[in-house]
Amino acid sequence: MIRFLDRSGLLSSWVRITIAVVGLGATFALAGTMIACAGNAQGDLMAVAAARGISPDDAVRALKSFVPPGGKDDYLLFASGGHSGQVFVVGLPSMRLLRMIAVFTPEPWQGYGYGSDWSEAALAGASPGKETIRWGDSHHPALSETDGDYDGRWLYINDRAHGRIAMVDLKDFRTKQILPVPNLQTSHGGVFITPDSKYVHISSMVPALKHWDPKVGASVTVDDHLNRYDEIYRGYSTFLKIDQETGRMVVEDSFQIELPPYTQDLADAGKGPSYGYAFINSYNSERATGGVNFGRPPLEAGASEYDFDFMHIINWQKAEEVIAAGKFDVVNGIRLISLETAVEESLIHLLPEPKSPHGVDVAPNGNYLTVSGKLDPHVTVYGFDKILAAIEAEDFEGTDDYGIPIIRFDAAVAGQVEVGAGPLHSQYDNEGYGYTSLFLESAVAKWSLGEPYHSGDAAWQLVDKLPVHYNIGHLATAHGDTMNPRGGYLVALNKWSIDRFTNVGPLLPQNFQLVDLSGETMDLLYDMPIGVGEPHYAQIVSADVVNPEQVYPLGTSAMTGERSPDAIDGGDQARIDHRPGVTEVWMTAIRSQYAPDVVPIKLGDHVIIHLTNIEQALDATHGFSIPGKNIMVSIDAGETITIEFEADTPGSFSFYCTEFCSALHLEMQGWLIVEEN
Ligand code: RUQ
Ligand code: CUA
């Protein structure tokens, strides 16, 4: 046993530990404070730490991320769920999973895709082709913005597997719209929102057959694919107009720009001085076709042949003028500016970027654009002022095969920083530092931007590096995609967890790691396993910005946000209407009964049930499920939902509430009696 002095110099007689001495000062100061107001907690801090084998440093880290029971988090992280098709909402710094939001995939807990009118409406028309699509690969969330900062209204997220984008209404954390984007077959990281939420952007990933309509298909041969790739495929940049009232994307008011058949990847919005521009990375400018079985190099090799790929610089404000001048065709229901017109009108310029880039990330001041080629150890930072000057001076190194001018690389570069192996994605803090994920190195690099953030020798320097576990993809900082980043925390989205958790394999969770940015050097605070999907991208928003409805005003339809014409206010208004071929029911749910609870139905009837949860208490959600039917709805307090189904089997069917809502929850049930005529 050793006795120590704490920082105030007083002898702390309660401190009796047998662990290493180094770095203990701060811990003890903290521990002293904790003890002074420790209430009834059992045991003293350091003794507990020692007994559990937790080092003093880890004890400090625990305190930095711990949110006490009943305490609230400072930030919300919205992360994509990958091929689970969902979105996860995680509190920071506690790293507690607060919500999952079903987006592209039916999910029964939220009653999503199992009969509720609002979810069926979102999912209807969500299938781009002939087959009903029941899954998606959610990748890149974009929170809506006002004046270049998150405003907590809506969240947009794309489906990597299909060219789709969804809108989640943050008033009730529900998916309200899924849009298969015309002409796209796939999409990737081309999702961003303009700083005023005028447009949400989505671009194609793998180029699609020109003017592709998945419902019709197109005639194509292997020979076309291998030898006419340049001609028959195209990429697309899409500006979807956002309805400022509802957050819905309105295709008729939107437009698209045809791009060369490169593989368009991540994108970002111009802001401040670069407002009105879009920046889209691409790879496979080689246009490798694959076809190892046809004597071609594998795609991976073919697509990595050139030293440079192209960033697309798109002047979308100018494109708006081109649209206004009528220089477009309507293709598959959207106004499309052809590649020829785009070149003629100088809407697009290309900028060489090092090997196989992934992210392009505009700095908070709107002038710097960071890209990193996964096969180049540097981040390359372009200056938007330099880009504009080069365009003005026509400082080009030629054009690509489609006639798009290529800006001279050296004319646009503001700085380069050697950060390490496999740089992938960058975010920023509020002090002029960039943070770049290093996939190959499994690390995060912190580096300094140039003027006006840092000058002289302090600019363009690698200042810190932190190992993460393992194979980091993207990273997120607080308000990191905005003009007003907050610093403080960073979350590393790691692809592999390997040995970090108790083995539940062979399929192992992904690993979110919380990093403290408040000190001189980055410090790893916490590991959070994600065992329900593969997150790709995330955004962190201050918790006070997001203010969802806690209880719907009585009778609200989640579809319209307004009172449903079929809402009723109490069990005394409940009724059943029989007419030829139809049974229609107006039903209420309240702890712990449905009214009516015995519903006679004629065999063969089309059944419509309008169900109002007449509760106005926080968290008083009820469920409604029918055996043998894919009906499982969740009705939040105050909500009215309509479900419809066919009574095709005679018998007695007991429905019940799926939420444990009260002491008499098990009694919350009823019967549908389907009578033969
Ligand atoms: S992504 S790391 Cu970069 Cu859409 Cu997956
Ligand atoms: Cu309502 Cu259980």
Side-chain angles (χ1 to χ4, degrees):
M1 298 288 185
I2 319 166
R3 301 184 133 220
F4 297 110
L5 290 178
D6 73 12
R7 276 198 172 161
S8 65
L10 298 169
L11 188 68
S12 304
S13 58
W14 49 269
V15 177
R16 292 193 182 81
I17 46 171
T18 55
I19 41 186
V21 182
V22 191
L24 283 182
T27 309
F28 288 169
L30 261 167
T33 322
M34 291 296 290
I35 284 297
C37 51
N40 295 325
Q42 308 286 304
D44 84 49
L45 186 64
M46 297 319 293
V48 171
R52 297 204 58 227
I54 291 169
S55 72
D57 282 346
D58 278 337
V60 172
R61 294 184 178 113
L63 288 176
K64 284 187 176 175
S65 61
F66 181 66
V67 173
K72 304 275 164 57
D73 280 298
D74 300 332
Y75 290 98
L76 295 175
L77 171 124
F78 288 84
S80 61
H83 41 296
S84 75
Q86 298 150 344
V87 164
F88 305 126
V89 188
V90 174
L92 259 65
S94 74
M95 301 305 277
R96 295 175 296 188
L97 177 64
L98 300 176
R99 257 305 288 268
M100 180 258 283
I101 307 171
V103 181
F104 295 111
T105 308
E107 197 289 303
W109 171 58
Q110 295 155 90
Y112 184 76
Y114 293 96
S116 60
D117 50 0
W118 65 273
S119 68
E120 296 301 335
L123 289 162
S127 298
K130 291 178 177 166
E131 196 164 319
T132 300
I133 299 300
R134 289 186 303 266
W135 78 290
D137 188 1
S138 66
H139 266 240
H140 290 253
L143 288 159
S144 60
E145 294 183 14
T146 299
D147 296 331
D149 201 359
Y150 303 142
D151 59 22
R153 291 186 291 169
W154 311 298
L155 177 85
Y156 300 85
I157 186 154
N158 74 306
D159 169 9
R160 156 69 183 87
H162 311 95
R164 300 193 294 174
I165 184 164
M167 184 270 287
V168 176
D169 192 343
L170 295 181
K171 233 191 262 162
D172 53 9
F173 278 47
R174 292 195 191 178
T175 302
K176 298 287 174 70
Q177 186 186 20
I178 299 176
L179 185 74
V181 181
N183 300 314
L184 267 54
Q185 189 174 57
T186 60
S187 71
H188 191 210
V191 177
F192 65 73
I193 203 144
T194 56
D196 48 8
S197 296
K198 183 175 188 182
Y199 294 106
V200 58
H201 177 271
I202 179 169
S203 38
S204 51
M205 186 190 188
V206 182
L209 289 172
K210 202 172 163 170
H211 299 182
W212 168 250
D213 178 353
K215 291 223 157 48
V216 179
S219 108
V220 62
T221 64
V222 170
D223 184 62
D224 292 334
H225 173 80
L226 293 178
N227 300 314
R228 296 177 52 231
Y229 190 96
D230 291 4
E231 255 171 84
I232 64 172
Y233 288 104
R234 284 294 177 271
Y236 298 92
S237 156
T238 317
F239 292 84
L240 295 165
K241 189 73 163 289
I242 296 175
D243 180 307
Q244 295 301 306
E245 289 297 306
T246 64
R248 284 172 194 271
M249 299 161 280
V250 186
V251 178
E252 305 81 75
D253 299 337
S254 306
F255 65 89
Q256 222 166 31
I257 302 169
E258 193 179 281
L259 302 176
Y262 310 140
T263 300
Q264 278 79 25
D265 204 33
L266 271 69
D268 204 358
K271 45 200 180 195
S274 53
Y275 179 85
Y277 285 81
F279 309 100
I280 311 175
N281 270 345
S282 65
Y283 62 95
N284 197 13
S285 46
E286 297 85 349
R287 283 151 286 157
T289 58
V292 271
N293 48 333
F294 287 92
R296 296 284 174 100
L299 190 79
E300 141 184 86
S304 313
E305 215 172 279
Y306 299 172
D307 281 338
F308 288 97
D309 285 290
F310 294 125
M311 185 204 293
H312 302 53
I313 297 159
I314 297 181
N315 185 338
W316 61 257
Q317 277 188 315
K318 206 167 175 186
E320 282 180 326
E321 292 165 21
V322 169
I323 290 283
K327 296 178 193 164
F328 62 85
D329 301 302
V330 175
V331 178
N332 293 317
I334 194 164
R335 297 179 294 182
L336 175 75
I337 299 174
S338 69
L339 186 49
E340 295 73 36
T341 305
V343 172
E344 252 166 54
E345 301 282 339
S346 296
L347 301 184
I348 314 177
H349 290 85
L350 298 175
L351 181 52
E353 45 186 6
K355 279 195 147 192
S356 293
H358 194 51
V360 47
D361 298 286
V362 182
N365 73 352
N367 186 46
Y368 290 127
L369 285 70
T370 304
V371 301
S372 34
K374 297 187 294 296
L375 305 178
D376 179 84
H378 299 87
V379 288
T380 299
V381 183
Y382 304 99
F384 183 71
D385 47 358
K386 289 174 178 275
I387 290 173
L388 271 194
I391 292 175
E392 197 97 322
E394 301 193 0
D395 193 351
F396 302 143
E397 47 185 64
T399 63
D400 76 341
D401 290 346
Y402 299 86
I404 308 176
I406 303 169
I407 297 168
R408 197 168 54 82
F409 178 75
D410 288 335
V413 175
Q416 279 190 308
V417 184
E418 186 167 339
V419 287
L424 192 140
H425 173 227
S426 304
Q427 289 260 286
Y428 307 94
D429 66 10
N430 50 342
E431 285 170 350
Y433 292 100
Y435 299 83
T436 300
S437 56
L438 304 172
F439 178 82
L440 295 175
E441 213 174 307
S442 287
V444 173
K446 175 181 179 180
W447 50 274
S448 55
L449 287 158
E451 298 276 4
Y453 298 106
H454 300 277
S455 25
D457 285 350
W460 310 122
Q461 294 299 319
L462 175 68
V463 296
D464 190 26
K465 206 185 265 191
L466 177 78
V468 289
H469 315 88
Y470 302 91
N471 296 8
I472 179 174
H474 289 268
L475 43 73
T477 55
H479 289 237
D481 277 314
T482 75
M483 299 184 75
N484 185 20
R486 308 290 159 91
Y489 298 110
L490 178 149
V491 173
L493 280 62
N494 304 302
K495 300 287 169 194
W496 285 13
S497 62
I498 307 181
D499 54 0
R500 296 295 281 189
F501 305 108
T502 306
N503 186 10
V504 291
L507 177 61
L508 298 178
Q510 310 258 315
N511 189 11
F512 279 5
Q513 288 185 305
L514 179 69
V515 175
D516 180 7
L517 300 182
S518 64
E520 271 296 284
T521 55
M522 295 179 281
D523 191 38
L524 178 60
L525 294 181
Y526 195 76
D527 274 26
M528 178 202 183
I530 298 278
V532 275
E534 182 186 326
H536 287 264
Y537 197 91
Q539 289 186 325
I540 301 171
V541 55
S542 181
D544 55 12
V545 171
V546 183
N547 293 299
E549 207 82 80
Q550 294 209 289
V551 170
Y552 288 112
L554 194 60
T556 303
S557 154
M559 269 204 300
T560 60
E562 292 177 0
R563 186 173 163 96
S564 161
D566 291 303
I568 52 175
D569 299 307
D572 52 335
Q573 295 167 18
R575 64 183 199 278
I576 303 173
D577 182 41
H578 293 286
R579 49 185 194 274
V582 177
T583 300
E584 188 164 8
V585 187
W586 288 262
M587 186 184 281
T588 56
I590 189 168
R591 282 164 286 174
S592 307
Q593 52 181 272
Y594 298 103
D597 61 352
V598 174
V599 181
I601 297 169
K602 291 251 173 304
L603 179 64
D605 267 12
H606 178 68
V607 182
I608 307 168
I609 301 177
H610 310 287
L611 192 48
T612 302
N613 177 346
I614 56 176
E615 306 267 5
Q616 288 285 283
L618 278 185
D619 214 353
T621 296
H622 296 288
F624 180 90
S625 64
I626 305 176
K629 294 268 170 211
N630 274 310
I631 300 267
M632 165 50 231
V633 299
S634 172
I635 321 128
D636 290 337
E639 185 180 9
T640 297
I641 263 179
T642 295
I643 56 183
E644 303 189 35
F645 59 93
E646 309 305 326
D648 51 10
T649 312
S652 170
F653 301 88
S654 70
F655 58 84
Y656 78 102
C657 169
T658 41
E659 285 270 330
F660 204 107
C661 53
S662 72
L664 295 176
H665 150 78
L666 293 175
E667 284 76 359
M668 192 165 174
Q669 54 166 308
W671 286 267
L672 308 174
I673 315 281
V674 182
E675 304 172 324
E676 284 167 287
N677 304 332

